Amino acid sequence: MNEIEEVREWLETVTGEKGLEWEITPQNIKYLQDLRAKNLQKEKLIQVTLAETEKLSHEYEGELKRLDKILKQLGIDSSLLSTTSASYLQVLADSCSLLEEDNIGRGLEVALSRALLQQANKAPSIATAKAKIEAVKIENLKLYSQLERLEEAVKLAKKEGDEDLELT
């Protein structure tokens, strides 16, 4: 197929009209070929974008089905949820994801128990760190108190020095 036939067929598919008349010059052919190439490239990009959008839509629908499954296990009708309840449900779903647990029930309880145990195991080191922080705060308060007293002593000494200079 030659260049002119390719351009003619492309124009017919784009416009939907057969037998379009146009002046066939090297400049027009070059321009229409460039336009055709850009158009085909953008069509491919649109197809990729549509495919990605469709994929994301399927993922979203899958997540909705998973959330509905969780609600059914809890005995809750999803159509009756308020926005606050929906937020709590999202937190629950996120918690399941973090704990790598897809099921509500025994598996989630075990995963939560493990997380609480880890938190409990870290409690002594957290308490020690808090105690050290409090000790540093108390020490800082003592230093600020001493600094304040020294500042008052310097002011008093300066005042007495100024009075002595006036007397002499």
Side-chain angles (χ1 to χ4, degrees):
M1 185 181 296
N2 68 26
E3 298 171 342
I4 296 173
E5 289 176 13
E6 286 179 358
V7 170
R8 183 172 281 134
E9 283 184 18
W10 173 74
L11 280 172
E12 288 176 0
T13 58
V14 170
T15 62
E17 297 179 22
K18 297 251 184 213
L20 288 175
E21 292 185 22
W22 49 283
E23 183 179 350
I24 299 174
T25 64
Q27 295 87 1
N28 285 351
I29 292 172
K30 174 76 171 119
Y31 176 77
L32 289 171
Q33 282 177 327
D34 290 344
L35 190 61
R36 176 181 174 262
K38 288 178 186 177
N39 182 266
L40 293 175
Q41 183 180 15
K42 288 186 180 186
E43 282 181 358
K44 286 179 184 177
L45 179 63
I46 288 171
Q47 289 173 352
V48 169
T49 304
L50 286 173
E52 183 66 23
T53 303
E54 187 174 326
K55 177 185 166 201
L56 291 173
S57 174
H58 288 303
E59 289 176 5
Y60 180 75
E61 288 172 7
E63 182 67 12
L64 284 175
K65 287 177 184 177
R66 188 176 79 82
L67 291 174
D68 278 342
K69 179 183 168 188
I70 291 171
L71 286 175
K72 286 178 184 174
Q73 287 179 349
L74 294 172
I76 299 171
D77 183 10
S78 61
S79 64
L80 301 176
L81 288 178
S82 66
T83 54
T84 305
S85 300
S87 298
Y88 289 143
L89 177 63
Q90 187 60 48
V91 169
L92 180 61
D94 291 344
S95 299
C96 288
S97 294
L98 285 173
L99 295 170
E100 297 176 359
E101 192 61 46
D102 281 340
N103 298 320
I104 297 291
R106 194 74 188 134
L108 182 59
E109 290 175 18
V110 169
L112 284 172
S113 296
R114 270 188 256 128
L116 288 173
L117 180 62
Q118 288 174 350
Q119 184 180 6
N121 287 338
K122 292 179 183 176
S125 60
I126 291 172
T128 303
K130 284 183 178 180
K132 287 180 181 178
I133 290 171
E134 286 301 317
V136 168
K137 284 181 182 178
I138 291 170
E139 191 62 33
N140 279 345
L141 286 175
K142 287 180 184 177
L143 290 173
Y144 279 120
S145 176
Q146 289 175 354
L147 184 62
E148 191 175 312
R149 285 194 299 263
L150 286 173
E151 187 179 4
E152 289 175 9
V154 167
K155 286 180 183 176
L156 182 62
K158 183 178 178 187
K159 182 179 175 183
E160 289 176 357
D162 289 344
E163 288 176 358
D164 286 343
L165 281 175
E166 285 179 13
L167 292 174
T168 55

